[in-house]
Each structure stands twice: as C-alpha cells, then as structure tokens.
C-alpha cells in the first residue's frame, strides 16, 4: 500500500509586519481596536511591487525541500494554490519550477479554489502519490492578495496579507494522509469574489475583492465545522483524537466558533491570523510550518487542516504528521 506523508514544510513572509496603526497612518479610516475586536488581526505582511506569488512560493519551497532533506530535482509534481497568479498564463507552478531550477520535467499546475486552495492541492497531490504515478509532490499556497484589494474599502483591505507556505508530500509505507473531503457550492459566488477579468487589452468589470462579510462569516463557521467532523467520521475518530486543528486563518472569531463546533479546545488550535492576517491559500501551510518549526507539531501527531474560500469551496484533510 502506498501512502502519502508530509516530509518537510517551509514558509515565507515578505518584508516587515504592517500594523493596524500603520494602516491608519496610510489614511485608512479604521482603528487598531476595531480591527482587533472584530477579527483578531494585529499585523500582516505586504509584498513589495517587484515580488510576485512565484517569488514568495520559491522562498517557501526552498525551505520545505531542505526540511525534507531533498534536492529540487527530487520533486516530480508541483501544485501551486493561488488566486493571485503572476500572470494569466503560464501557471505560477510552471514559473516556480523554473525559479527552483527543476529541469526533470516534473508536472506543474495551479489550483484555483481561493482560501481552500491548499487543502485542494494537498488532496490532489495525495491522489497522485497513492496512485503510484508520482513520488514527491511540492504543494504550495502563495498569494499577493494586497494586489486585489480596494484600499478605499475599509471593510476588506484591513483583513488580508501576503505570504507563502509549502509542503513536500512524499510516498511512504506508513500513513500520512488518513482522510479527506473537498466540497464546493458555486451558487454562493456573489458573497466573496473578484468579478472582473481582462479582455481586449482592458480590465473588464471590477478588479477588486468584494465581500459580504456577515454572510461569509456564517457560511465559514458552518462548513468548517461540518467538514472537520466529516473527515474525523471517515477515520472513525472523535475530536479528542485531534492533536492540532489548523483552520484557514481568516478571522479569530471564525476560528473560535469553528473549534467550539468541532469540540476542539483553543489550546489545540494553531492561530496565526493575529500576525499574518488572511493570506488566503497560503494561510494553512504558513500556520503549519510555524508550528512545526516552533516544536508544537511533532512526528506522529494527528492534524486536521481545513479551509473555506470563495466559490464557495471548502475541504479538510486529516493527517498523521
Ligand atoms: N474599521 C472601522 N470600521 C469599519 C471597518 C474598519 N476596518 N470596516 C467596517 N467598518 C464599519 C462599517 O462601516 C459599519 O459601520 P456602520 O455601522 O456605521 O455602517 C460597522 O463597522 C459594522 O460593519 P459590519 O460590516 O457590519 O461589521 P461586522 O461586524 O460584520 O464585521 C467583518 C466585519 C470583520 C468583515 C466580519 O463580517 C467578518 O469577519 N466576516 C468574515 C469575513 C472574512 O473573514 N472574510 C475573509 C475572506 S473569506 C475567507 O477567507 C473564507
């Protein structure tokens, strides 16, 4: 039996943290207290203009490949989850492959599932590995959400940040990924979207992120609770079997309500939204890498990683680290 297990993690945040007061100083009509009370966010990182998602992805990937004890050419599958690709095409994954100097013909493609993208990517990579077709997948979440924010809309621009996280998923005799579930319901697309596109050399429609915050909040809590219980049910385990819950980092109140619904105490929840803001597809691998490197997550522990994002999409993976 071939299983898939995480062999290494890495992450990258660009520049220095930008505080809520820094945003006020930049002219945004908000306050540290409002942002902290409603979201738990204190700082976020914003990439400089010359830095694209593939650059953030490269830094995170180098660290993950090194942590796995591998060389870049050992990777035979590259999946990048992003909603802020470098360009329309080629994929950010192909550009990442080039920036990593991988010349072995590894397959490379992007996944577009917004904030659930990393969970989608991890699940896809696991299927490739379990089929026997691939041995070592690099799965990356990388975003420069600061580029698609309307900085005059205080209801959204204070929430997001830039960053990247990566894992190497490797074929193994021992599990690994224990259970997983992916879902989508496209009928909810209007409550969180960037509706514009590019045609005939012009931006057509609105190129900024738009959101009905309260509708997103309610939807996120419901599906994050449901899908975590679904994957635990697949494995025949209860909430007490979870060593760490790593939910998508959008808002600390969503995270608290989700943990309560699942029955996992907050001491077992990895939270980075206070420092990173919402980095969309990067948020889960960033949080995972942070907790691996600070020694909280240890080999053999059971983790639930779960995401929800525009589409709407949602999903979870239960894994043994
Ligand atoms: N600073 C100060 N005041 C603000 C700000 C701000 N940054 N943003 C909005 N306000 C004001 C509004 O104008 C409004 O003022 P009014 O009462 O005078 O009209 C008031 O605050 C309340 O606005 P609401 O939008 O009703 O505030 P709410 O309590 O819903 O909080 C928030 C907004 C934080 C966005 C919340 O709905 C939320 O967290 N939703 C989840 C959305 C989310 O996390 N999205 C991330 C992307 S989705 C994902 O990753 C899955």
């Amino acid at each position: 039996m071939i299983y898939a297990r995480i062999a290494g993690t890495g992450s990258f945040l660009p520049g220095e943290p930008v505080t809520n007061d820094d945003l006020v100083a930049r002219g945004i009509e908000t306050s540290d207290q409002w942002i902290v009370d409603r979201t738990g966010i204190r700082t976020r990182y914003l990439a400089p203009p010359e830095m694209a998602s593939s650059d953030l992805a490269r830094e995170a990937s180098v660290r993950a490949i090194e942590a796995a004890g591998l060389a870049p050419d050992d990777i035979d599958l590259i999946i990048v989850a992003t909603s802020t690709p470098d360009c329309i095409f080629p994929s950010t994954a192909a550009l990442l492959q080039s920036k990593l100097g991988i010349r072995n013909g590894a397959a490379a493609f992007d996944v577009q599932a917004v904030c659930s993208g990393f969970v989608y990517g991890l699940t896809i990579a696991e299927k490739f590995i379990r089929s026997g077709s691939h041995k070592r997948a690099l799965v990356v979440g990388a975003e420069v959400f600061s580029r698609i924010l309307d900085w005059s809309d205080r209801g959204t621009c204070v929430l997001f940040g830039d960053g990247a996280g990566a894992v190497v998923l490797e074929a193994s005799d021992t599990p690994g990924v224990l259970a997983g579930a992916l879902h989508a319901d496209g009928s909810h697309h209007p409550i969180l979207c960037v509706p514009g596109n590019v045609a005939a050399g012009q931006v057509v429609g609105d190129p900024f992120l738009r959101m009905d915050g309260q509708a997103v909040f309610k939807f996120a809590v419901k599906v994050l609770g449901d899908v975590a219980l679904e994957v635990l049910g697949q494995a025949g385990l209860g909430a007490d079997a979870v060593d760490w819950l790593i939910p998508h980092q959008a808002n600390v109140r969503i995270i608290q309500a989700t943990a309560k619904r699942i029955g996992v105490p907050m001491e077992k929840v990895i939270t980075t939204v206070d420092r990173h803001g919402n980095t969309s597809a990067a948020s889960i691998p960033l949080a995972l890498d942070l907790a691996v490197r600070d020694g909280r997550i240890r080999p053999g522990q059971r983790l639930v990683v779960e995401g929800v994002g525009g589409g709407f999409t949602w999903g979870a993976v239960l894994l043994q680290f």
Side-chain angles (χ1 to χ4, degrees), residues 159-235:
L159 304 176
F160 295 90
D162 303 334
V167 303
V168 174
L169 197 70
E170 191 172 45
S172 166
D173 297 338
T174 52
V177 172
L178 304 173
L182 298 179
H183 298 289
D185 182 346
S187 69
H188 296 285
H189 68 90
I191 64 171
L192 180 60
C193 55
V194 180
N197 67 39
V198 175
Q202 305 285 332
V203 174
V204 180
D206 184 350
F208 293 121
L209 182 149
R210 302 298 174 199
M211 178 180 74
D212 175 344
Q214 287 178 12
V216 168
F217 193 106
K218 284 185 204 135
F219 193 88
V221 172
K222 179 178 174 350
V223 299
L224 287 173
D226 288 350
V227 79
L229 294 172
E230 182 183 347
V231 296
L232 285 169
Q234 280 177 23

Side-chain angles (χ1 to χ4, degrees), residues 284-310:
I284 294 169
L286 266 162
L288 172 66
D289 183 52
L290 188 98
V292 168
R293 285 177 192 264
D294 70 19
R296 276 179 291 172
I297 294 179
R298 295 190 303 277
Q301 291 186 325
R302 280 197 208 96
L303 320 181
V304 172
V305 299
E306 58 168 350
V308 57

